[in-house]
Amino acid sequence: MNFLQYLINGISIGSVYAIIALGYTMVYGIAKMLNFAHGDVIMIGAYMSYCATNYLGLHPLVGLVIAMAVCTFLGITIEALAYRPLRGVPSLAVLITAIGVSYFLQNAAQLIWGSAPKNYTSIVSMEPLKIFGGGLVITGEVLITIAASIVIMLALTLFTGKTKMGKAMRAVSEDRDAAQLMGIPVNRTISATFAIGSALAALAGVLLCSTVPTLMPTTGSMPGIRAFTAAVLGGIGSIPGAMLGGILLGIIETLSKAYLSTQFSDAIVFTVLILVLLVKPSGLLGKTVQEKV
C-alpha cells in the first residue's frame, strides 16, 4: 500500500515537472534556445497568485488567471528585450543571458516580497479520495495536477498539429529562414511560443505551491532544473516526451527518497538521465536530427 501511495505522489510531482517541461520543450523546439529563466517565471506566477488571494482577497481561480496573464506578458517581454536582440549570435551568449535573467527575477522577487518563506494556501478545495478503507489517500491537489498535465499535453499536441499558429510554429522550428520567406511572421510566432510556455509556468507554479505550500524567491530554481532534466530525458522538442520524462522523473525521485536516500535522490535522478542518454542520446521519444553542412 505504501508503494502505491509513493507511486501516486511521484506521478503528481512528475505531472508538475511535465507541465514545466512542456514550456521548456516548446521554446527549445521552436526557438532553438534553452530558457533557463523559465523556472523563475514559475516563482513569479506563484507570487502573483499569492498576492491576488491574500492581499486583494480574490478567489483562488481568479488569482490563477491573473498569474497566467502576468506571466504571459512577462514571457513576451523577456523574449523581446533579452533574447530577440541575440538571435543569430552563438548559443553561449544566449545561455549566459538566460542565466542573467534568472538571477534578475530572483533578486527582484527578493526585493519586492522579501526572502522569508510564505505559507501558500492551496487553490484546490476538493476533499481527498480515500481508497482501500483509507489505506490509500489521493488528495485533490494530486488529482487536479495529474488531470491538468494530461489535458495540457493533449491540447498542445492538437494546437501544434491542427491550428494555423501551431503549423507556423512547426515551420519556424524546421527552418526559420524558409518560414520567413514563405510569409510566416517569425518574431510573432516565437513570441507566441514564449507566451504559451510562460502561462504554463504560472500554472505549474500554482500547482507546485498548492502541493508543497512554501513560497520564496528560489521556489522555481530546482523544479526548473528538474523539469529541464525531464525534457531532456523524454526528448527535448517532443511534447509527449516532455510528459513522459516528467512523470518518470517524479516517480524516480519519490521512490528514491522513500526507499534509498533523501539526500542522494537528485544524484540518483541525474544518474538515470546519464544512463538513458548514453543509450539514446536524443531522449526516450526524441528524434535524431542530421545536421546539414
Side-chain angles (χ1 to χ4, degrees), residues 67-132:
M68 294 180 70
V70 170
C71 287
T72 298
F73 176 75
L74 178 63
I76 294 172
T77 303
I78 290 173
E79 190 277 329
L81 297 181
Y83 299 144
R84 188 179 300 175
L86 298 178
R87 211 168 286 165
V89 305
S91 57
L92 181 60
V94 181
L95 181 62
I96 293 172
T97 301
I99 295 172
V101 173
S102 172
Y103 279 110
F104 172 80
L105 293 176
Q106 284 186 29
N107 284 275
Q110 186 169 348
L111 287 173
I112 296 170
W113 292 291
S115 58
K118 298 185 182 298
N119 294 322
Y120 190 93
T121 302
S122 173
I123 67 166
V124 180
S125 57
M126 185 185 302
E127 290 294 324
L129 179 64
K130 297 181 180 180
I131 307 175
F132 303 120

Side-chain angles (χ1 to χ4, degrees), residues 1-218:
M1 197 65 67
N2 285 339
F3 174 79
L4 286 177
Q5 187 70 67
Y6 294 141
L7 185 63
I8 291 171
N9 293 341
I11 294 173
S12 174
I13 191 65
S15 296
V16 175
Y17 294 155
I19 295 173
I20 305 170
L22 285 169
Y24 268 119
T25 207
M26 285 282 290
V27 170
Y28 180 82
I30 293 161
K32 293 297 182 289
M33 62 159 292
L34 298 175
N35 179 23
F36 279 116
H38 192 66
D40 299 288
V41 178
I42 298 168
M43 172 267 298
I44 296 296
Y47 268 115
M48 289 296 103
S49 173
Y50 176 87
C51 291
T53 54
N54 288 271
Y55 298 157
L56 301 179
L58 300 175
H59 191 276
L61 291 180
V62 177
L64 172 60
V65 172
I66 291 174
M68 294 180 70
V70 170
C71 287
T72 298
F73 176 75
L74 178 63
I76 294 172
T77 303
I78 290 173
E79 190 277 329
L81 297 181
Y83 299 144
R84 188 179 300 175
L86 298 178
R87 211 168 286 165
V89 305
S91 57
L92 181 60
V94 181
L95 181 62
I96 293 172
T97 301
I99 295 172
V101 173
S102 172
Y103 279 110
F104 172 80
L105 293 176
Q106 284 186 29
N107 284 275
Q110 186 169 348
L111 287 173
I112 296 170
W113 292 291
S115 58
K118 298 185 182 298
N119 294 322
Y120 190 93
T121 302
S122 173
I123 67 166
V124 180
S125 57
M126 185 185 302
E127 290 294 324
L129 179 64
K130 297 181 180 180
I131 307 175
F132 303 120
L136 181 63
V137 179
I138 305 176
T139 64
E141 288 82 3
V142 169
L143 292 172
I144 294 297
T145 301
I146 295 173
S149 65
I150 295 173
V151 169
I152 290 170
M153 184 201 69
L154 294 176
L156 285 178
T157 302
L158 290 174
F159 174 77
T160 55
K162 301 296 183 181
T163 66
K164 183 177 180 181
M165 176 58 73
K167 291 177 181 178
M169 289 178 176
R170 290 166 56 195
V172 172
S173 173
E174 187 70 27
D175 192 320
R176 187 181 302 173
D177 293 332
Q180 191 165 16
L181 290 173
M182 294 298 293
I184 294 174
V186 172
N187 287 337
R188 190 187 309 166
T189 303
I190 294 177
S191 292
T193 305
F194 271 83
I196 293 172
S198 299
L200 293 180
L203 175 60
V206 170
L207 292 175
L208 176 66
C209 290
S210 294
T211 304
V212 184
T214 303
L215 176 60
M216 61 182 69
T218 56

